[in-house]
Amino acid sequence: MKQTGIPIVISAASGTGKTSLCKALLKTLSHTARSISYTTRAARGGEVDGVDYHFVSDADFDRMIAEDAFVEWAQVFDHRYGTGLASVREQLSGGVDVLLDIDVQGGAQIRDKLPEALLIFLLPPSMAELRRRLVNRAEDAPDVIEQRLAEAKAEIEASAVYDYLVVNDEFEQAAIDLRAIVRAHRLRQNRPSELVEGLLGSPVA
Ligand code: 5GP
């Protein structure tokens, strides 16, 4: 039976642990691929073009918008990010579930355009813990951390359109919860109706 893949959106405020949880989820799920977004930001140390992101110029990004090449795109912090329509469509029609690690603006667009999508929002256990994680990560200057915390509240507010909220208090538990949600959604979405018909049509042994 040919099945269509499910778009799985995972969003969170910066510092919640989304990247690590997405990696853990991808390791444990079969027939699931991560969507590789396009971005106008520069690659950070260790990031590889075509693996972490497709790093493109502003002009290329403008051209892709004009060509309707994005299923969603948004300005996040100082740069633009977008999900390519062609690759997502190809993966979904090939029966592959696609994990979209995107922000809440993108999540809202996916909600509208792909109603079958599963939207999961990750929450920190508290704002104090989120601050602690951002400080420990030592990636941002103190003023940037304050800005991220202010933005986090707006993002958490936007989580209302998401199907599930998962608290990343204890990493292993959050990973188990994510996997359970995806598994349940798959079972709900891919109902084996042909099997039901076959069972009903076959003689009782
Ligand atoms: P970073 O620059 O740290 O890799 O990502 C910044 C934010 O942009 C993260 O919240 C990430 O989920 C989001 N993001 C990455 N790719 C996309 C995308 O294609 N679309 C949208 N809307 N957000 C994205």
Side-chain angles (χ1 to χ4, degrees), residues 107-175:
Q109 293 173 53
I110 295 289
R111 171 92 299 162
D112 288 343
K113 290 193 188 158
L114 307 173
E116 75 281 17
L118 168 63
L119 271 68
I120 307 170
F121 193 88
L122 303 173
L123 293 167
S126 66
M127 292 309 285
E129 175 61 16
L130 184 62
R131 178 191 297 272
R132 199 185 64 75
R133 289 181 190 172
L134 285 169
V135 170
N136 281 0
R137 183 165 93 168
E139 252 177 37
D140 303 310
D143 59 322
V144 177
I145 289 181
E146 292 316 309
Q147 191 192 333
R148 294 234 189 276
L149 286 166
E151 278 155 7
K153 290 213 172 172
E155 287 167 303
I156 290 168
E157 219 173 353
S159 69
V161 301
Y162 283 66
D163 299 305
Y164 290 91
L165 301 177
V166 172
V167 181
N168 184 17
D169 188 0
E170 209 267 300
F171 184 89
E172 291 306 329
Q173 187 56 54

Side-chain angles (χ1 to χ4, degrees), residues 10-14 18 35-39 41 44 47 53 72-77 79 81-84 101-107 109 139 148 155:
I10 301 195
S11 303
S14 181
K18 181 177 53 163
S35 159
I36 302 169
S37 295
Y38 291 80
T39 183
R41 84 154 162 76
R44 297 191 189 119
E47 285 183 332
Y53 281 105
E72 66 75 33
W73 71 270
Q75 170 103 21
V76 186
F77 304 125
H79 301 285
Y81 298 80
T83 303
D101 167 350
I102 60 178
D103 87 318
V104 289
Q105 305 169 75
Q109 293 173 53
E139 252 177 37
R148 294 234 189 276
E155 287 167 303

Side-chain angles (χ1 to χ4, degrees), residues 19-39:
T19 309
S20 312
L21 278 169
C22 283
K23 277 192 189 144
L25 185 64
L26 278 169
K27 266 195 206 151
T28 59
L29 290 178
S30 59
H31 66 280
T32 310
R34 190 179 70 89
S35 159
I36 302 169
S37 295
Y38 291 80
T39 183

